[in-house]
Amino acid sequence: MSKYFKRREPTNRQIVEANEQWEISFWTHELNTTQDSLNRAIKEVGSDNGEIRKWLATARENR
């Protein structure tokens, strides 16, 4: 891997999009979750970062 590798980041971090693999990788790492949980959160509450974080926190509490 090149030492000049730059990690891709979304231009708007308030909106969670999971359309491309790099976006999925970024958000699963950023939110410390799985791809399945991320997709379910997006389906249930939409793509707002704050709402997804709340949903994921609630889902973790209910385990």
Side-chain angles (χ1 to χ4, degrees), residues 12-57:
N12 182 356
R13 294 179 69 149
Q14 297 302 315
I15 305 296
V16 176
E17 294 185 87
N19 300 323
E20 297 186 37
Q21 186 57 49
W22 71 267
E23 292 171 321
I24 295 167
S25 297
F26 176 84
W27 287 115
T28 54
H29 178 74
E30 181 76 13
L31 299 171
N32 191 30
T33 191
T34 64
Q35 183 175 347
D36 290 337
S37 293
L38 178 63
N39 288 333
R40 186 167 177 205
I42 291 170
K43 285 179 185 175
E44 298 225 2
V45 298
S47 60
D48 180 72
N49 188 342
E51 293 299 316
I52 289 174
R53 287 179 187 273
K54 288 178 194 173
W55 188 92
L56 289 170

